[in-house]
Amino acid sequence: MSEQNYFPDNWVVLKIKEGKLDRGFYKVLAGWSGGYLSGDSWRMNSGITKVTEEGDHLKFWGESGSCYVCHKKTYGLRMNNSGVWNQMKGMEGFEDQFVLLPEDTNWLEMEW
């Protein structure tokens, strides 16, 4: 696995539940704001395996070896990632499978 770093403009963490059980796994849903020549974009990581802190940033390491370097003050949905979130939570039969974690979550204390 080769390490790939991503630096999103904004981000959220989603819990994806396994069936009707409360357990599940966690993913970063990241967004980048486009400009005049390029549109907004989003990306979801492969599944969080660990989180480290580096100054004003949190590093979310994924199962694929990628690392999402997220500024602590940019947590939240924006136009670039809210559409994907709305589609996920609106999937018929799966409405309760996806949970948006609150901004004040202690990311370093989570069991990934």
Side-chain angles (χ1 to χ4, degrees):
M1 289 184 279
S2 64
E3 184 179 314
Q4 174 70 44
N5 291 326
Y6 298 99
F7 301 86
D9 295 330
N10 55 285
W11 57 282
V12 293
V13 174
L14 305 177
K15 179 178 183 179
I16 302 171
K17 295 182 179 182
E18 296 178 22
K20 301 223 182 269
L21 304 173
D22 192 41
R23 70 173 189 242
F25 54 96
Y26 301 88
K27 292 186 174 225
V28 174
L29 174 58
W32 288 264
S33 298
Y36 176 71
L37 296 176
S38 62
D40 293 345
S41 61
W42 63 273
R43 179 182 277 279
M44 191 176 304
N45 83 330
S46 56
I48 300 169
T49 58
K50 74 174 181 174
V51 178
T52 58
E53 184 175 30
E54 193 170 292
D56 290 337
H57 292 83
L58 294 165
K59 291 184 167 186
F60 290 88
W61 302 88
E63 291 180 12
S64 69
S66 65
C67 179
Y68 284 66
V69 182
C70 302
H71 196 283
K72 293 176 186 176
K73 293 187 177 182
T74 61
Y75 188 84
L77 293 169
R78 307 286 184 274
M79 287 180 56
N80 53 28
N81 61 356
S82 64
V84 175
W85 166 242
N86 288 328
Q87 285 182 338
M88 291 175 72
K89 71 177 184 173
M91 292 173 55
E92 189 172 332
F94 295 95
E95 299 89 350
D96 298 330
Q97 299 296 120
F98 306 104
V99 178
L100 179 67
L101 272 59
E103 181 176 0
D104 62 354
T105 300
N106 186 340
W107 307 111
L108 300 173
E109 296 296 320
M110 295 282 295
E111 292 187 33
W112 305 105

